[in-house]
């Protein structure tokens, strides 16, 4: 990990601190490898990575059923716990309708484990809306702000990729692609993945998605070669 993150100017102490924090938060667990101490993904981490990859690369999209996933739980009195729950639910694509009622365009596979970890009991419903879904979306999510964020990201991403020489070494390609993915995955915290029929015409998120997918795929071979070379070093 230290070797892989060096092209991103992340120093070894910062890598080790991050790994220690991930162990404390149950994202990684210490294991004994043939070449020495190491870490493995926990089931919680595997679920998060699989779900995040699906959303980052927008794979597995299916037609919207027209139904909403509704989550209702008792108010959480502790402020820190309440804010953590709000952040986690927003990450999973839900929006707050009231202090105790959240909605999403589909059920998140991570929701059950999140509620168990937070020790929050919730009633969950798969429901249809008696009303205009566009009005509900406008009330639950700030789509104008999200559109501006997509437009700003596209400008920055074009500059980022454009600064990469055609003959750039694979470590620099890896760094550029990592920064591209990192910027794009921030939309996991803001974009619930609404179905196309609920989005405004000429939605800028679609243009941004097309650019990301094109450039992430184009840069992947050289970036993967850098990763493979450093993983091979760890085996010997």
């Amino acid at each position: 990990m230290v070797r892989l993150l060096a092209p991103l100017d992340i120093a070894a102490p910062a890598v080790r601190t991050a790994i220690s924090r991930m162990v404390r938060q149950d994202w990684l667990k210490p294991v004994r490898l043939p070449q020495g101490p190491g870490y493995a993904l926990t089931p919680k981490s595997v679920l998060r990575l699989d779900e995040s990859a699906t959303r980052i690369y927008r794979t597995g999209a299916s037609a919207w059923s027209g139904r909403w996933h509704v989550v209702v739980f008792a108010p959480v009195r502790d402020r820190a716990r309440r804010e953590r729950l709000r952040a986690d639910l927003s990450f999973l694509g839900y929006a707050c309708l009231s202090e105790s009622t959240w909605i999403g365009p589909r059920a998140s596979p991570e929701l059950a484990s999140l509620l168990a970890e937070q020790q929050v009991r919730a009633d969950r419903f798969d429901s249809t809306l008696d009303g205009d879904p566009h009005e509900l979306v406008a009330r639950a999510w700030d789509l104008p702000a999200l559109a501006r964020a997509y437009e700003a990201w596209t400008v920055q991403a074009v500059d980022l990729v454009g600064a990469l020489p055609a003959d750039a070494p694979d470590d620099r390609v890896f760094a550029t692609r990592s920064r591209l993915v990192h910027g794009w995955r921030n939309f996991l915290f803001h974009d619930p993945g609404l179905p196309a029929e609920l989005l405004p015409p000429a939605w800028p998120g679609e243009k941004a998605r097309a650019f990301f997918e094109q450039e992430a795929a184009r840069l992947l071979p050289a970036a993967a070669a850098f990763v493979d070379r450093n993983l091979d070093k760890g085996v010997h």
Side-chain angles (χ1 to χ4, degrees):
M1 289 301 298
V2 169
R3 287 194 301 270
L4 287 173
L5 292 175
L8 292 162
D9 299 322
I10 300 177
V15 175
R16 296 187 176 97
T17 297
I19 289 176
S20 296
R21 184 180 300 119
M22 292 176 74
V23 170
R24 291 196 301 272
Q25 296 175 350
D26 193 37
W27 296 108
L28 296 173
K29 60 182 178 182
V31 295
R32 174 64 61 176
L33 302 173
Q35 61 268 41
Y39 298 90
L41 300 176
T42 62
K44 167 185 171 181
S45 185
V46 171
L47 182 62
R48 170 58 58 87
L49 288 172
D50 287 346
E51 173 69 3
S52 296
T54 298
R55 293 174 61 194
I56 289 172
Y57 295 98
R58 311 288 169 97
T59 59
S62 57
W64 185 49
S65 66
R67 302 178 70 85
W68 297 89
H69 196 236
V70 182
V71 184
V72 182
F73 51 85
V76 178
R77 302 301 180 189
D78 179 74
R79 180 177 179 180
R81 187 173 167 221
R82 182 172 65 248
E83 291 303 313
R84 186 167 61 252
L85 180 62
R86 289 177 65 91
D88 288 340
L89 286 169
S90 296
F91 178 84
L92 296 185
Y94 292 89
C96 181
L97 289 185
S98 70
E99 183 180 355
S100 59
T101 304
W102 290 69
I103 64 164
R106 61 191 59 83
S108 168
E110 289 191 68
L111 180 62
S113 60
L114 167 65
L115 295 175
E117 181 180 335
Q118 297 279 1
Q119 297 183 328
V120 173
R121 183 186 177 280
D123 296 310
R124 287 166 274 177
F125 307 89
D126 185 32
S127 306
T128 55
L129 173 69
D130 183 10
D132 181 2
H134 294 87
E135 186 277 330
L136 178 67
V137 167
R139 183 155 46 95
W141 289 280
D142 189 348
L143 291 188
L146 183 58
R148 291 191 296 272
Y150 272 123
E151 290 167 348
W153 178 87
T154 303
V155 171
Q156 295 167 1
V158 168
D159 290 344
L160 172 67
V161 173
L164 187 68
D167 60 348
D170 59 11
D171 62 334
R172 186 169 173 185
V173 176
F174 168 80
T176 296
R177 188 179 188 277
S178 296
R179 293 187 173 100
L180 182 74
V181 173
H182 177 69
W184 181 250
R185 66 105 198 165
N186 284 328
F187 286 106
L188 294 182
F189 296 91
H190 309 290
D191 189 338
L194 293 169
E197 54 264 45
L198 295 181
L199 295 171
W203 177 241
E206 182 58 26
K207 178 182 177 181
R209 179 198 61 77
F211 181 81
F212 169 76
E213 290 183 351
Q214 170 189 302
E215 294 305 310
R218 184 177 67 85
L219 300 176
L220 180 57
F226 172 75
V227 173
D228 290 343
R229 189 171 69 253
N230 279 279
L231 291 181
D232 287 343
K233 288 180 180 179
V235 173
H236 302 296

